[in-house]
Amino acid sequence: MAVDQVDRPEETGGGTEAVTTAAAAVTYYPVAPGVRLNVRSGPGTGYGIVRVLAEGARVPVRCQTPGTTVTGPYGTSALWDDIGNGYVSDAYVRTGSDGYVAPRCS
């Protein structure tokens, strides 16, 4: 598979798709519908907001780490997703799992 080629496996039942790039094996997941999601400098609500994602955003989950417990559209979770330039609560990202879907951040 070429470095710039993208796989788009579609989920059944909701039209949601995860996008995986071959180069870095990072999967992109959709943020909950209708949500403008805060991106924080660290894995918790005590960290500063570095930017806000627009509604309909998709995020690359590079790794995951425990942090502040948050309740969102996809349940209650202490997992935070490193999206490359900040962290978002996994409770707002549709990964299809309540557990880890990416390596643990080191």
Side-chain angles (χ1 to χ4, degrees), residues 17-89:
E17 61 184 39
V19 179
T20 305
T21 61
V26 173
T27 301
Y28 284 71
Y29 296 95
V31 171
V35 172
R36 294 184 67 227
L37 186 59
N38 292 332
V39 179
R40 297 187 176 269
S41 61
T45 56
Y47 290 89
I49 298 170
V50 295
R51 64 189 176 110
V52 179
L53 298 175
E55 290 183 29
R58 302 180 75 75
V59 294
V61 178
R62 300 181 185 289
C63 64
Q64 295 175 294
T65 191
T68 305
T69 300
V70 173
T71 299
Y74 301 120
T76 299
S77 179
L79 280 180
W80 285 73
D81 304 332
D82 179 344
I83 63 170
N85 54 357
Y87 294 81
V88 296
S89 170

